[in-house]
Amino acid sequence: MATSCPIELDVDQLRREISFIYARVAEDPTGDFHFHRGPGYAVSLLGYDAAEVAAVPAANSASFAGVGNPHCVAAIEAGETVVDIGCGAGTDLLLAARRVGSRGKAIGVDMTPAMAERARAGARAMGFDHVEVRVGDALELPVESGTIDVVISNGVINLTPDKDRAYAEAFRILKPGGRLQLADIIVANELSEKIRSDIDLWTG
Amino acid sequence: MQRAGFVDVAIVARHDPFRGTSKEKTARKFGVEGISMIARKPG
């Protein structure tokens, strides 16, 4: 898939590195990573509701690696249709599915097949038949235009080489009046081109 | 986000996701922080 990037960066290598790292997170979340994972982190540092997170199967929440909390910015309502961009093992997706209920729908999109399968297994374990997980990319979402009430994402857009396109895709799939509830990292300082081209720092 | 067409863009919460990790010092050096934000598609 063609993507554009404002700096010199091997986009295909970046995609491979991200898939590799997050497949490892799915398979062995207790492994050696330089970012936090798991339900305790979600509650203690990001303000997730402990009881809600406890309802998510441990096999899913153990791989949680978000950087913020898209649920804290506005309430997701019963009956809404939600897309989680880069749903990973599915913690945010399953929390959203619980909130929208059986009259709504929660669609996860993730580029890592291992993560997508983990999220599907979590939905089955929670008895959710209104959850669907699609393998796809934030820059080309496999979702019909203008059909979604809420787009959530947690720690994913920063990993994409073309943020403008990622935001344009979120905009495209939302209904008029729809909400983007985004958690991500921002960088306050201006970074040199050398640092911005360092794939280890992108994936870290 | 505004270039994409979003309106009412607002940061609602700030987080420190790298606290206690091996990359905490690097995150501080570059001013990296976690944020939770909302934006709306006009409609």
Side-chain angles (χ1 to χ4, degrees):
Chain A
M1 183 183 70
T3 57
S4 63
C5 183
I7 57 171
E8 285 296 321
L9 184 71
D10 186 333
V11 172
D12 290 332
Q13 185 188 352
L14 176 64
R15 190 186 307 275
R16 285 194 299 272
E17 290 283 335
I18 291 168
S19 289
F20 175 71
I21 288 173
Y22 288 95
R24 280 179 52 214
V25 173
E27 290 159 9
D28 181 16
T30 63
D32 184 24
F33 301 98
H34 46 255
F35 48 85
H36 289 299
R37 286 91 56 211
Y41 157 62
V43 172
S44 64
L45 284 185
L46 303 179
Y48 278 70
D49 182 275
E52 285 191 332
V53 172
V56 174
N60 300 90
S61 62
S63 296
F64 172 83
V67 297
N69 183 350
H71 304 279
C72 79
V73 301
I76 294 173
E77 304 290 347
E80 289 189 315
T81 299
V82 178
V83 163
D84 183 356
I85 301 175
C87 67
T91 297
D92 284 314
L93 176 69
L94 297 172
L95 292 174
R98 197 169 187 217
R99 292 184 180 190
V100 300
S102 59
R103 290 190 298 110
K105 186 163 186 176
I107 302 167
V109 177
D110 201 274
M111 65 184 282
T112 307
M115 282 291 201
E117 186 47 44
R118 184 68 57 89
R120 289 188 193 106
R124 287 194 295 272
M126 294 183 78
F128 290 158
D129 57 10
H130 60 292
V131 172
E132 183 183 346
V133 184
R134 304 173 184 173
V135 174
D137 193 292
L139 303 183
E140 196 170 359
L141 292 170
V143 180
E144 190 178 343
S145 300
T147 58
I148 304 302
D149 297 298
V150 186
V151 171
I152 62 173
S153 187
N154 195 346
V156 172
I157 304 297
N158 74 87
L159 296 171
T160 66
D162 188 344
K163 276 71 173 165
D164 281 352
R165 183 163 167 182
Y167 292 132
E169 275 294 273
F171 190 87
R172 176 184 65 79
I173 66 172
L174 281 168
K175 296 175 182 174
R179 312 187 298 282
L180 173 62
Q181 300 185 195
L182 177 73
D184 219 318
I185 58 171
I186 58 173
V187 182
N189 302 340
E190 186 67 29
L191 304 179
S192 69
E193 180 145 345
K194 182 181 177 187
I195 289 171
R196 289 189 292 146
S197 302
D198 185 334
I199 284 182
D200 284 343
L201 291 174
W202 277 73
T203 56
Chain B
M1 294 173 78
Q2 288 168 329
R3 278 197 299 274
F6 284 104
V7 297
D8 302 334
V9 178
I11 294 174
V12 177
R14 295 177 183 273
H15 315 279
D16 190 5
F18 293 101
R19 189 199 311 168
T21 72
S22 62
K23 292 292 185 184
E24 180 173 5
K25 198 171 175 182
T26 305
R28 299 262 183 270
K29 178 181 174 185
F30 295 136
V32 177
E33 63 177 338
I35 55 161
S36 297
M37 60 188 304
I38 191 165
R40 191 173 56 80
K41 181 173 181 174

